[in-house]
Amino acid sequence: MLPRALLVASVAALGIPALACAPARDATRIAVAGGSLTEIVYLLGAQDRIVAVDTTSNYPEAATALPSVGYVRNLSVEGLLSLSPSLILGEDDMGPPAVLDQLAQAGVETVRVAEQHDPEGIFGKIACIGEVLGMGDEADARVEDLRAVADRLAAYREVSERSPRVAMLLNLRDGAPVAAGDNTSGGGFLRMAGARNVFPSIDGWKPVSPEAFAAANPDVIVIPERGVRALGGVADVASHPSLRLTSAARNGRIVVMDGMAMLGFGPRTLEAALDFATRLHGPVVGESE
């Protein structure tokens, strides 16, 4: 197991000041902006300290009953301050900047946690939050539990020319599939599962023309449940004009998964990646179905 100090240092090395992973002045009333961070606070058993969450915090279900402060990238400063939080924990895309400035002026301690789309990034998040909440030993134990999952996943992680060719879609925007490029949570998820991203040259999540999608011709399409519901179901996804000519659609290889579990890069993402890897490759030698 990587020592906690090194995990925390790795988070700081991503561009977040080392102080961000130091114990908070007061972590008794926490507002959380980011679903993965909410999952981690629950994982550490500190959920009784949470006074509010953002709209991406939909797991565990109990979190959805907490007061909402808006979307992680479009937080409500009035909503936050009305709940008198002593600490705001946010993912690295928390915002907008004007809201963060107002929170700083109000003297509310704010911690932004770095994002890295691989297993060590997940462990770093847990270690960082453990330090901030004064629960480093509990964080160590939870990381140790999750490393067992990461060790199983590592058997699939070597991407080769024989690896399945996969398109990760977020949704369809104005008829065009929005696909994950290499520098995204979707791209990181595919790498963890030992899949080849058919759009490695795309930077970010970008709409792809029907012609480009047909030319990429993925063997498998993976899409969050929310995106499938918006389109009417898996059959509607497979028959969509932008997708129906692909091998994935013709062969019925459209995989639907929980979006936050898959793309949030919280504790559940390792299990989600292992599940997806098993669907792609089958069980590794020595493991049963």
Side-chain angles (χ1 to χ4, degrees):
M1 176 178 175
L2 192 66
R4 186 196 323 156
L6 292 182
L7 280 170
V8 172
S10 72
V11 173
L14 294 174
I16 303 301
L19 185 61
C21 292
R25 295 189 302 269
D26 180 357
T28 57
R29 293 182 59 80
I30 307 169
V32 189
S36 71
L37 306 187
T38 297
E39 290 182 29
I40 292 170
V41 175
Y42 271 83
L43 183 73
L44 297 179
Q47 61 270 21
D48 59 336
R49 306 189 200 181
I50 301 176
V51 297
V53 295
D54 78 308
T55 56
T56 70
S57 297
N58 56 21
Y59 183 90
E61 187 175 353
T64 63
L66 291 164
S68 174
V69 292
Y71 178 54
V72 61
R73 297 181 189 174
N74 191 26
L75 299 173
S76 163
V77 68
E78 294 84 3
L80 281 163
L81 294 178
S82 71
L83 294 163
S84 302
S86 63
L87 172 68
I88 297 170
L89 281 177
E91 292 180 344
D92 68 342
D93 58 353
M94 172 175 63
V99 167
L100 302 184
D101 289 342
Q102 291 176 69
L103 293 171
Q105 291 169 16
V108 182
E109 185 173 15
T110 301
V111 174
R112 296 177 72 175
V113 182
E115 184 83 359
Q116 179 176 304
H117 298 133
D118 58 25
E120 291 303 321
I122 296 170
F123 301 147
K125 277 186 181 180
I126 296 170
C128 182
I129 293 175
E131 289 294 308
V132 171
L133 301 188
M135 303 182 70
D137 290 342
E138 184 67 22
D140 286 349
R142 300 290 73 79
V143 167
E144 183 72 10
D145 294 340
L146 289 171
R147 279 197 182 278
V149 181
D151 289 344
R152 293 177 62 200
L153 183 60
Y156 295 103
R157 207 173 301 149
E158 188 65 36
V159 178
S160 71
E161 289 301 313
R162 296 188 302 276
S163 300
R165 301 175 66 257
V166 182
M168 165 78 74
L169 301 188
L170 190 61
N171 51 36
L172 278 87
R173 184 186 304 160
D174 298 326
V178 177
D182 197 47
N183 188 29
T184 60
S185 56
F189 182 85
L190 295 182
R191 282 193 300 274
M192 286 206 313
R196 281 188 290 162
N197 188 348
V198 297
F199 297 112
S201 61
I202 291 178
D203 184 23
W205 293 91
K206 297 289 174 59
V208 178
S209 70
E211 296 78 14
F213 204 90
N217 193 26
D219 303 312
V220 178
I221 293 170
V222 58
I223 184 169
E225 292 171 348
R226 182 176 179 180
V228 172
R229 287 197 300 269
L231 292 168
V234 174
D236 296 275
V237 173
S239 63
H240 192 279
S242 295
L243 311 179
R244 62 185 176 83
L245 297 179
T246 63
S247 296
R250 292 199 307 270
N251 297 326
R253 298 204 69 187
I254 296 176
V255 178
V256 183
M257 300 186 73
D258 180 289
M260 273 303 298
M262 182 168 57
L263 302 175
F265 276 78
R268 293 186 297 155
T269 300
L270 290 164
E271 286 282 6
L274 181 60
D275 175 36
F276 185 58
T278 304
R279 296 194 205 190
L280 286 181
H281 309 284
V284 297
V285 175
E287 288 195 350
S288 59
E289 294 278 2

